[in-house]
Amino acid sequence: MAEISPGSTPAPPSATPPPAPPARILVVGGGYVGMYTALRLQHKLRSGEAEVTVVTPEPYMTYQPFLPEAAAGNISPRHVVVPLRRVLSGCRIVLGEAVSIDHAKRTATLRTLGADEEGTGTVDVTYDELVLAPGSVSRTLPVPGLAEHGIGFKTVEEAIGLRNHVIEQMDIASSTRDPALRDAALTFVFVGGGYAGVEALAELEDMARYATRYYHNLKAEDLKWILVEATGRILPEVGEEMGLYAVRELRARNIDVRLDTRLDSCEDRVAVLSDGTRFPTRTLVWTAGVKPHPVLAATDLPLTARGRLKCTARLGVDGAEHAWAAGDAAAVPDVTAAEPGTECAPNAQHAVRQAKVLAGNILASLRGEPLQDYRHKYAGSVASLGLHKGVAHVYGRKLKGYPAWLMHRVYHLSRVPTFNRKARVLAEWTLSGLFKREIVSLGSLEHPRAEFELAAGGKKTDSPGGPTTWDTPRHRPKDTPKDTPGEPSDDR
């Protein structure tokens, strides 16, 4: 037995070191990547291992492939979105936008709803791990009149607003005695031959053609639909052969498809095309591509020439530890491509799969485990051309017509998040097959106080179908610079 000499102090018993504080994970964006990454982290994190904060401008994730069907009335708009607070119950949801990010200091500057109401400006949030997934915004060009009269098709609000607008134009055409006004109201111009433009035009043309049977003085032949595409093909993702079939299918429905043509101006509600054609129109839908979110330029992280984050195959930002990115915001090398330097396409197919690998790599980084590369060989694409019509090029197989349309629905039903949404969408599709289409316009929902203001002695600010409906896009980013005509497109 060891002796203790007089006056000596016994050594204290060994103490357990205090547990490390939970890591702070900040997810910027609540879209595909943001929601799926946070959801996987929520399920896989150990108790006390990390805290996840999601910063998003909207309290929901929009499943964008369903926007055309929502615009056509086949799906209720509330079933196109996924409520983040319910799905991400284990995460902290902050409604707002990231204004700038100083990754060297691990600080993000946010503009939140609360800060706006208080008039305090912005708030700073510190983090340990950063996931940048703000998505993309519409890519516009300095076309005269576009900012005043153009309509976007990227949010559920824009999709439902466009549906109301189209029906209102038919109401105007049915009730006016002015032939020029009638012609402009029944002319619908869509700019952009990617997924968004083609599917939106095809679904709305289907709906409007069906609606004409309920107008005593309108026929389907009175409606004029024009698709304007600057390149020589539409839907490049489905291949040249299926793209040509899509053009033939649209033209067979009396849709004017103009390839190798640009929109030069839309001032005074007249669409002027590069081939010299002029179309007086009250509806001009702009879907000519997307560009990275402007917050990426307000960071100290490396960007590519096209403004996307330079990423590694492990979905980390190149040269920046503890910073991660995926989806539209990230330039991720495609390790399955034959040609070196190829990047993954900025589409939903990659985004959902990247989110799974991204969440796994964050967990591995926190636990000191090896990371894995993202690798996924592109499976192909499907596109809807309206009810019971579509094109597909999947795993080398080409489909068209009803089989392609059915594949389109089955694929997206399998991909829409949560069983709740799958069941609701399937129920709505089943009911829409048993009953007639709904063709009512609820444009007054966009201005719910207009009637009360008028009754209270004020002035009614907006009239149905009026020009001010599209003057101020709801989600136009602040201080976003105009694009130049030569900027490349990320159109999907």
Side-chain angles (χ1 to χ4, degrees), residues 48-262:
E49 187 175 15
E51 298 173 347
V52 181
T53 299
V54 179
V55 179
T56 172
E58 301 290 357
Y60 52 78
M61 187 274 272
T62 302
Y63 191 72
Q64 291 185 340
F66 280 160
L67 288 184
E69 291 210 53
N74 297 331
I75 301 177
S76 171
R78 68 182 184 279
H79 299 156
V80 177
V81 298
V82 180
L84 294 179
R85 293 192 188 279
R86 185 167 69 187
V87 175
L88 303 178
S89 57
C91 303
R92 180 190 175 202
I93 306 297
V94 177
L95 288 188
E97 290 184 303
V99 178
S100 63
I101 295 174
D102 188 342
H103 188 64
K105 297 180 179 179
R106 303 293 193 271
T107 301
T109 301
L110 311 181
R111 181 185 292 114
T112 67
L113 288 181
D116 284 346
E117 290 295 324
E118 295 169 357
T120 56
T122 59
V123 294
D124 290 339
V125 175
T126 56
Y127 60 84
D128 299 309
E129 302 285 340
L130 174 67
V131 178
L132 267 174
S136 56
V137 297
S138 295
R139 183 182 70 92
T140 60
L141 298 178
V143 176
L146 180 60
E148 293 77 18
H149 304 299
I151 304 170
F153 197 80
K154 191 166 175 59
T155 68
V156 66
E157 295 88 354
E158 288 174 328
I160 303 309
L162 180 56
R163 166 189 168 81
N164 292 331
H165 178 78
V166 168
I167 297 176
E168 285 168 358
Q169 297 311 303
M170 296 176 68
D171 292 335
I172 291 172
S174 176
S175 58
T176 184
R177 296 181 179 179
D178 184 346
L181 175 59
R182 174 187 169 94
D183 183 62
L186 296 180
T187 300
F188 306 95
V189 179
F190 286 68
V191 181
Y195 280 128
V198 172
E199 291 190 336
L201 182 150
E203 292 284 357
L204 285 167
E205 190 274 339
D206 245 0
M207 179 204 71
R209 180 159 32 86
Y210 175 86
T212 55
R213 68 182 65 185
Y214 298 103
Y215 289 84
H216 70 282
N217 58 350
L218 291 184
K219 297 181 295 184
E221 298 78 37
D222 297 333
L223 278 64
K224 187 183 300 182
W225 299 83
I226 301 102
L227 177 63
V228 180
E229 168 54 38
T231 67
R233 56 193 292 193
I234 65 172
L235 298 175
E237 297 86 353
V238 298
E240 184 175 2
E241 181 181 343
M242 291 295 97
L244 291 173
Y245 167 80
V247 171
R248 292 196 302 269
E249 169 68 23
L250 294 176
R251 285 175 174 167
R253 292 158 56 179
N254 292 322
I255 296 173
D256 188 353
V257 180
R258 302 205 170 210
L259 304 177
D260 296 311
T261 307
R262 300 181 309 278

Side-chain angles (χ1 to χ4, degrees), residues 342-414:
T342 303
E343 297 175 356
C344 296
N347 56 32
Q349 183 178 149
H350 281 297
V352 173
R353 290 171 172 83
Q354 286 172 356
K356 181 178 179 180
V357 175
L358 175 54
N361 281 347
I362 292 176
L363 292 170
S365 176
L366 292 176
R367 299 166 183 173
E369 299 171 355
L371 310 185
Q372 64 173 337
D373 289 347
Y374 170 75
R375 69 174 60 241
H376 169 69
K377 191 169 183 179
Y378 193 59
S381 300
V382 292
S384 170
L385 299 179
L387 190 62
H388 300 160
K389 297 175 284 290
V391 290
H393 189 183
V394 181
Y395 293 117
R397 299 193 63 180
K398 301 171 184 176
L399 299 173
K400 56 187 178 182
Y402 185 86
W405 172 82
L406 184 61
M407 177 177 286
H408 175 270
R409 283 203 161 182
V410 170
Y411 173 78
H412 286 301
L413 183 65
S414 70

Side-chain angles (χ1 to χ4, degrees), residues 295-313:
V295 72
L296 301 184
T299 72
D300 55 351
L301 299 172
L303 303 178
T304 67
R306 301 180 70 175
R308 299 164 71 193
L309 291 165
K310 292 182 179 179
C311 291
T312 67

Side-chain angles (χ1 to χ4, degrees), residues 320-343:
E321 293 185 357
H322 308 291
W324 313 83
D328 291 358
V332 179
D334 187 352
V335 297
T336 67
E339 297 182 10
T342 303
E343 297 175 356

